[in-house]
Amino acid sequence: MDSEAQESPLLQWKPDDYGGVKVNLTEPMTTEDFVPKPVPGKKGIWIKLADGLENLIAPAKAEGFKYHHAESDYLMLVSWLSDLHNTIPANASHRIGIAAFVLNRVWKLPTGVIKEGEGVWAGAEREVAEETGIKTTFKEVLAFRESHKSFSEKRKTDIMFLCELIMKPGTFEIKKEKTEIYAAKWMPIEEYVNQPWNQEKELFRFMANICLKISHEIEYVGFSTVRTTTSTGRESYLYCNTDHANLLNATRGPASTSTPTSR
């Protein structure tokens, strides 16, 4: 940045929490108004351009900014200023999916992708309801799988959580979601495990065998939720050993958790 540059009234930097500065541009601005303020002693600069301010991309890149990420309503640009090692985090690189086993002496495996801002437990319940009409309550995470370079031009990581859910009373009848599901039915766990798809696909065979073990009441402890809050007061969930989660939730009372964890 030119140390002699004059600050534009439309371009006000604010400090971030990591030794850098940020600016959020939402109003129309000419390229002549795009005059960055010098920020001595700061490590980096983030510029968030609202949709419609594409005219500022070229002058920003001329000032040394690079693309970081984009959403439907904004583009984020960043510039590293320090002589120290660049510690700007890469764009989010993971997609979270779920596979939900519903326990009622028989099993079902709806799958899907977690929505923005949605917990794993909530996504599992939602996917089952959307695809089959079955209402469930999350019990625990049984396992999870990660696969690297798997989507978005082979640059992202795909993580899938295998969850156990308990069917709520009165929702046994399946209402298939026709645009996503070819077929859906209840079946004994042994029949599900022995399907050719599960036997030919190693990952699904491993997951099916975990659920077979649980259905036979063989000891298997997964991860359940303990509801907590962040330092700013936002709701958050800790996933830990189910036995320990039960202990934590019991000591805090029924209001501390919104999902059952006991076996």
Side-chain angles (χ1 to χ4, degrees):
M1 294 295 170
D2 183 357
S3 61
E4 299 300 324
Q6 299 297 312
E7 180 185 2
S8 165
L10 300 177
L11 199 63
Q12 301 282 338
W13 303 119
K14 294 182 179 180
D16 64 18
D17 296 328
Y18 305 98
V21 293
K22 57 187 178 181
V23 64
N24 184 18
L25 298 180
T26 59
E27 300 298 327
M29 178 186 295
T30 67
T31 55
E32 290 76 15
D33 288 327
F34 188 79
V35 182
K37 174 185 178 181
V39 285
K42 297 298 184 181
K43 295 179 180 179
I45 305 175
W46 299 83
I47 293 183
K48 183 178 181 180
L49 297 180
D51 187 27
L53 301 183
E54 292 82 4
N55 64 308
L56 301 181
I57 295 176
K61 295 189 69 175
E63 291 283 355
F65 285 87
K66 296 181 179 180
Y67 299 124
H68 187 267
H69 68 275
E71 296 292 344
S72 60
D73 57 347
Y74 74 86
L75 170 68
M76 186 69 76
L77 301 168
V78 66
S79 177
W80 183 253
L81 304 178
S82 174
D83 293 331
L84 299 175
H85 174 67
N86 188 337
T87 58
I88 291 175
N91 181 27
S93 60
H94 290 57
R95 176 179 64 187
I96 305 297
I98 56 95
F101 276 92
V102 181
L103 178 60
N104 184 43
R105 299 178 183 265
V106 284
W107 299 80
K108 176 69 183 70
L109 182 63
T111 58
V113 177
I114 297 298
K115 293 183 177 181
E116 181 179 355
E118 183 178 50
V120 170
W121 68 269
E125 293 180 353
R126 175 185 53 77
E127 280 292 338
V128 172
E130 287 181 355
E131 295 188 1
T132 68
I134 301 297
K135 303 298 183 181
T136 61
T137 300
F138 173 85
K139 183 173 184 179
E140 62 185 358
V141 172
L142 301 175
F144 73 90
R145 181 270 288 148
E146 62 179 353
S147 177
H148 303 293
K149 298 182 179 180
S150 61
F151 70 102
S152 188
E153 299 182 352
K154 304 297 182 181
R155 300 175 64 182
K156 305 294 184 179
T157 293
D158 187 31
I159 298 179
M160 182 172 68
F161 287 83
L162 174 63
C163 303
E164 180 184 356
L165 298 95
I166 305 300
M167 188 177 69
K168 292 182 178 180
T171 60
F172 185 81
E173 181 183 357
I174 293 176
K175 298 178 181 178
K176 185 183 68 173
E177 209 291 317
K178 297 180 180 180
T179 62
E180 295 186 27
I181 301 298
Y182 174 74
K185 69 174 185 178
W186 295 102
M187 63 181 69
I189 181 62
E190 291 79 8
E191 181 182 344
Y192 171 77
V193 171
N194 292 323
Q195 290 182 103
W197 172 270
N198 287 328
Q199 294 304 310
E200 295 169 3
K201 307 291 184 181
E202 185 177 67
L203 169 64
F204 284 88
R205 185 172 74 252
F206 288 166
M207 293 194 300
N209 286 335
I210 289 174
C211 295
L212 178 63
K213 184 176 182 179
I214 294 173
S215 71
H216 290 166
E217 299 183 352
I218 299 174
E219 184 64 24
Y220 186 97
V221 180
F223 289 84
S224 292
T225 57
V226 178
R227 187 168 62 188
T228 182
T229 57
T230 66
S231 59
T232 58
R234 289 183 292 109
E235 184 178 75
S236 180
Y237 285 85
L238 171 69
Y239 289 78
C240 62
N241 176 287
T242 294
D243 290 340
H244 189 63
N246 289 337
L247 177 62
L248 292 176
N249 288 322
T251 59
R252 297 171 61 191
S256 64
T257 179
S258 63
T259 57
T261 57
S262 61
R263 282 195 174 278

